[in-house]
Amino acid sequence: MKYSMFSWFGYFMKFEDRIKIIADAGFEEAMISWEDEFEPWALKKEEFPELVRKNGLGITNIHAPFIGYSDIWTASRMEIKPKLKMFKDYLKDCQAFEIPAMVMHTNDLDEFEPDLDKGLAFFSELADAAEKYDVDLAVENVSRQHLLCYLLDQINAPRFGMCYDSSHDFLEEQNCGQILKKHKDRLKALHLSDNDFKADRHWIPGEGSIPLDQVMAEILTVPTITTISYEVLANEDWREKEPLDFARAVLESLAINDEKPPQK
């Protein structure tokens, strides 16, 4: 089993410094956000892959930017066309930079009335693009998980599946592991973290109340899952400590097996 950590974990540091922390903690891979970084340390996203690999890490996936996902379910075909092209270009970027998967959201958190046909048409085209570029497209369970269930039921393309986020899943009582039990065979990516059932904390597993032993019992029955990936954020207490200590605590938080990667 490999271990991966998201490149943004709550400490304000240069991208390369954060990646070095992930590598020094003993992780083997990193997940990266596919958007440019700006002041005070501007860096183009196209430079990310080389910096990650220079530190000896593989790239698990990219995360597409948070840009008006609810429009997917409400906008007209003409209105949504530029956004569809943009996401297709991100999938093409994955192929160009030899990155195996892209994660994106289903919708935003604001209230809206979804048109299922519009959402299905949009994601169906993206699923086709994922097949074309030989890249996995992992749609994340955010709010309104019924929309993701609908997509998974309707789109059977081999490259189309789910990014399971444990913190999102346990914020609404009606969810709490249901989508994982129903669709674990469609897992393409993981965002593992913990919370207190009150807010999307993205704490280190074990610092909150999510029954992650039960979550992992489901995940580990999926033979295609070979990487345990954490999307975690340091809280105020952790930010007063060294980021390397935080990253090491993340790596040790889930005892998957007895052969953890060596710490540097």
Side-chain angles (χ1 to χ4, degrees), residues 44 67 87 167 196 202 242 261:
K44 294 291 186 181
I67 38 176
F87 282 110
S167 187
D196 54 4
H202 282 274
E242 292 297 320

Side-chain angles (χ1 to χ4, degrees), residues 141-256:
N141 59 306
V142 283
S143 63
R144 299 173 180 83
Q145 292 196 18
H146 67 281
L147 294 178
L148 177 54
C149 286
Y150 171 73
L151 294 174
L152 293 170
D153 287 338
Q154 296 295 318
I155 302 174
N156 296 315
R159 287 292 192 173
F160 184 83
M162 171 174 63
C163 172
Y164 176 74
D165 187 303
S166 56
S167 187
H168 296 166
D169 193 26
F170 281 82
L171 283 179
E172 298 176 320
E173 188 175 354
Q174 69 271 23
N175 297 327
C176 298
Q178 295 305 307
I179 196 169
L180 181 60
K181 290 179 181 178
K182 183 178 180 182
H183 292 293
K184 65 182 180 181
D185 61 317
R186 305 293 297 278
L187 279 177
K188 299 292 187 183
L190 297 171
H191 283 174
L192 297 173
S193 66
D194 211 337
N195 66 39
D196 54 4
F197 301 154
K198 297 178 181 178
D200 191 19
R201 310 290 188 187
H202 282 274
W203 287 337
I204 296 175
E207 293 186 341
S209 304
I210 295 175
L212 283 161
D213 55 340
Q214 298 175 28
V215 169
M216 294 310 302
E218 291 284 354
I219 289 171
L220 293 175
T221 63
V222 183
T224 55
I225 293 298
T226 58
T227 301
I228 301 301
S229 303
Y230 299 87
E231 188 189 45
V232 288
L233 291 173
N235 59 26
E236 290 185 7
D237 289 340
W238 268 114
R239 287 197 298 271
E240 294 178 359
K241 303 173 185 177
E242 292 297 320
L244 181 57
D245 292 336
F246 175 78
R248 285 174 171 165
V250 175
L251 183 64
E252 295 297 325
S253 63
L254 291 174
I256 306 304

Side-chain angles (χ1 to χ4, degrees), residues 104-153:
M104 66 181 292
H105 285 188
T106 324
N107 53 266
D108 301 318
L109 297 178
D110 56 305
E111 292 295 328
F112 69 102
E113 290 295 329
D115 183 320
L116 295 182
D117 290 339
K118 289 178 179 178
L120 180 59
F122 185 96
F123 281 100
S124 293
E125 283 204 47
L126 283 188
D128 290 343
E131 298 295 325
K132 174 183 177 181
Y133 295 120
D134 200 24
V135 172
D136 282 341
L137 174 57
V139 184
E140 190 171 345
N141 59 306
V142 283
S143 63
R144 299 173 180 83
Q145 292 196 18
H146 67 281
L147 294 178
L148 177 54
C149 286
Y150 171 73
L151 294 174
L152 293 170
D153 287 338

